[in-house]
Amino acid sequence: MAAPFSWIRPEPHGIHVGPADCWIDPSRAVDRALVTHGHADHARGGHGQTVATPATLAIMDLRYNTREGATPVEYGETIRLPGGVDAAYIPAGHVLGSAQILLEHAGERVVVTGDYKRRADPTCPPFEVTKCDIFITEATFGLPVFCHPPIAEEMRKLLDRLAAHPERCVLVGAYALGKAQRVIAELRAAGHHEPIYLHGAMERMCRLYEEHGVSLGELRLVADHTKDEMRGSIVICPPSALNDRWSRRLPEPITAMASGWMRVRQRARQRNVELPLVISDHADWGELTRTIEEVDAQENWITHGREDALLRWCQLHQRRARALALVGYEDEDD
Ligand SMILES: [Zn+2]
Ligand SMILES: [Zn+2]
């Protein structure tokens, strides 16, 4: 008998599943990759075979033209990999198509969360707590200071500011995959049905969301409209365009940014953000610790962010844990 869990190993470039010779979210091209979701630090091009949800595969195809070798797995479906390893994809509540991956081998169960959150999100199904022996969790916002406010509060701030300045516009910097579409869908849920203007770089991803059943209402391209038409409107752009020459075509923009990092005042200042909106697609400290409790695994492996505080929390709560040292993960401006 092999030692328990010797079939799954953290390596610097990803989690390796020995009997199936495959990698989860590898940071370099491999023969067989299981991908949790479409963000660039998890989904890379160039793999021989890519196993992911249909939406994640569509996102990867849009970004890297990687239709070849794509193996779709629906939520709740289990596929058999070589070496007697079963993999199931379970909603992670992070962005469209995002999944946790449950691996089962020799009666042992491991869950890899990828990125996740526990808050409701109109653009993807909610995170499902899945019992397992080893729980491999992200820790992007793994410090007690991170406590994301309800998104309705942040939407209210945004709409109030817009109403107070009908001659201007509010320019919201938002990550192009996930955050932008969630902000638009939440604005619609808050009763804002005016056209929303988009930077050209957001257009294709918004269309892809709509093709996957997420309604975003009337979207217009900034390039097709005059300054006067955009007065009193919300404009969405990638964070990199916030302080760019591009924004000169807008009517006196009030600069906002939607990100969990907006909790940190210095980050808002660095980007000259007047209206910081604390909106994240990652679990905050309370969600991370609650999830570890609910999953109640024998062992927790912590990765992708601020591992130390969460490791300490596990120790204080008599939970076995270790921090992994994977390379190539970024904050993804989230
Ligand atoms: Zn992500
Ligand atoms: Zn990530």
Side-chain angles (χ1 to χ4, degrees), residues 57 68 107 114 123 130 144 220 268 286 334:
L57 290 171
E68 221 170 286
T123 70
T130 303
R220 293 179 176 173
D334 190 74

Side-chain angles (χ1 to χ4, degrees), residues 36-42 94-95 98 114-116 138 140 175 177 281-282 304 330-332 334:
T36 59
H37 68 286
H39 279 146
D41 54 335
H42 300 261
H94 176 56
V95 297
S98 66
D115 295 339
Y116 73 96
E138 69 132 317
T140 303
Y175 200 69
L177 164 54
D281 286 329
H282 291 274
H304 197 302
E330 290 131 32
D331 288 347
E332 46 188 56
D334 190 74

Side-chain angles (χ1 to χ4, degrees), residues 81-290:
L81 300 168
V85 178
D86 286 331
Y89 283 57
I90 299 161
H94 176 56
V95 297
L96 179 73
S98 66
Q100 312 171 66
I101 300 176
L102 165 65
L103 298 156
E104 287 192 86
H105 179 67
E108 298 169 337
R109 287 161 65 91
V110 176
V111 166
V112 183
T113 64
D115 295 339
Y116 73 96
K117 70 174 172 293
R118 303 296 301 272
R119 313 290 176 105
D121 179 339
T123 70
C124 58
F127 180 95
E128 291 174 19
V129 171
T130 303
K131 294 288 172 190
C132 56
D133 304 300
I134 296 179
F135 184 57
I136 305 180
T137 178
E138 69 132 317
T140 303
F141 289 106
L143 287 175
V145 64
F146 291 111
C147 169
H148 308 323
I151 193 165
E153 268 176 29
E154 304 305 280
M155 290 296 114
R156 192 34 54 204
K157 267 194 234 167
L158 171 53
L159 291 170
D160 285 351
R161 187 69 72 97
L162 185 69
H165 300 279
E167 73 295 349
R168 301 177 67 182
C169 72
V170 181
L171 175 61
V172 183
Y175 200 69
L177 164 54
K179 188 64 57 65
Q181 297 77 20
R182 181 174 174 217
V183 166
I184 295 169
E186 289 285 357
L187 282 167
R188 300 316 189 194
H192 182 77
H193 299 297
E194 306 301 314
I196 291 175
Y197 291 86
L198 298 180
H199 184 284
M202 324 294 267
E203 188 193 11
R204 291 202 305 167
M205 196 60 78
C206 288
R207 299 282 167 244
L208 187 150
Y209 264 64
E210 295 209 292
E211 284 160 23
H212 284 80
V214 180
S215 309
L216 300 175
E218 187 180 349
L219 303 177
R220 293 179 176 173
L221 282 179
V222 166
D224 297 340
H225 295 271
T226 64
K227 220 177 229 192
D228 279 341
E229 286 176 293
M230 292 186 277
R231 293 190 195 280
S233 298
I234 292 172
V235 182
I236 315 257
C237 72
S240 60
L242 269 183
N243 301 305
D244 192 90
R245 290 173 57 89
W246 170 85
S247 64
R248 290 186 198 166
R249 70 187 70 196
L250 304 175
E252 303 164 72
I254 296 162
T255 309
M257 175 142 165
S259 164
W261 299 112
M262 290 298 102
R263 186 111 212 148
V264 184
R265 274 197 207 99
Q266 199 186 340
R267 293 241 191 172
R269 266 201 306 270
Q270 273 166 6
R271 289 192 183 265
N272 294 316
V273 170
E274 291 168 65
L275 179 64
L277 302 170
V278 184
I279 300 174
S280 176
D281 286 329
H282 291 274
D284 67 7
W285 175 257
E287 292 168 68
L288 290 168
T289 54
R290 169 164 71 101

Side-chain angles (χ1 to χ4, degrees), residues 291-309:
T291 305
I292 288 173
E293 280 176 339
E294 289 178 4
V295 171
D296 195 22
Q298 281 174 39
E299 216 175 290
N300 300 281
W301 294 1
I302 303 163
T303 182
H304 197 302
R306 279 132 198 85
E307 293 94 1
D308 293 355

